[in-house]
Amino acid sequence: MVLFLTRQYFHGGTNGKLRCAGRVICSTIELPWRQNRSGISCIPEGKYGIARRYSRRFGWHLEVVGVPDRSLILIHPANNAQLELRGCIAPVTVISGAGLGLQSRKACAALAALVFAALEREEEVMIVVESLN
């Protein structure tokens, strides 16, 4: 399975659309691009693996693996990138501003169900991150 994240960069955050097989799964929010600096920047464009991960804070969620010079890039619920993210990706149902979204838990659950099913079938899951602008 290949997910395509197409992003737009803004001063206050990064907004994206996540697609699989041509179908929009959800929108996404991230921190602004700040040269891939850990904790304050979205990840660079590229192709990465997706793995299943568990933590007490988020329960079962997704992790983006293979990001250069970065680790623990999670895909988890958040509605405000500046306040709730440290370089991770948050699925949202609706974009409400630069790095802002609504109904993140709903979007996150839909994405997780899709990806977990593929992982249970032992499919490799990749994400391709690219720019719209």
Side-chain angles (χ1 to χ4, degrees):
M1 170 184 289
V2 179
L3 303 172
F4 290 90
L5 175 56
T6 306
R7 307 191 293 196
Q8 286 187 284
Y9 302 95
F10 302 99
H11 179 73
T14 301
N15 297 346
K17 290 281 184 198
L18 191 63
R19 293 177 172 82
C20 182
R23 188 178 119 238
V24 175
I25 305 303
C26 61
S27 296
T28 62
I29 60 170
E30 300 172 76
L31 290 171
W33 174 249
R34 294 183 178 131
Q35 289 67 48
N36 196 33
R37 294 194 327 250
S38 184
I40 64 168
S41 176
C42 60
I43 63 173
E45 295 170 17
K47 185 175 183 177
Y48 308 108
I50 298 285
R52 186 175 171 151
R53 182 178 184 277
Y54 181 83
S55 73
R56 283 187 285 170
R57 181 174 181 190
F58 298 115
W60 285 107
H61 57 278
L62 301 169
E63 180 179 4
V64 181
V65 295
V67 178
D69 303 317
R70 300 281 290 276
S71 62
L72 292 175
I73 303 300
L74 310 180
I75 298 176
H76 66 79
N79 293 305
N80 184 318
Q82 295 285 353
L83 298 178
E84 301 174 86
L85 299 178
R86 293 187 181 111
C88 299
I89 300 169
V92 295
T93 303
V94 177
I95 297 286
S96 60
L100 301 170
L102 303 170
Q103 299 179 336
S104 184
R105 290 192 187 283
K106 179 180 176 182
C108 214
L111 175 61
L114 177 74
V115 174
F116 289 166
L119 292 171
E120 287 174 17
R121 292 188 304 267
E122 298 184 6
E123 289 183 36
E124 179 180 46
V125 180
M126 304 295 293
I127 186 168
V128 176
V129 181
E130 54 197 6
S131 173
L132 182 63
N133 53 351

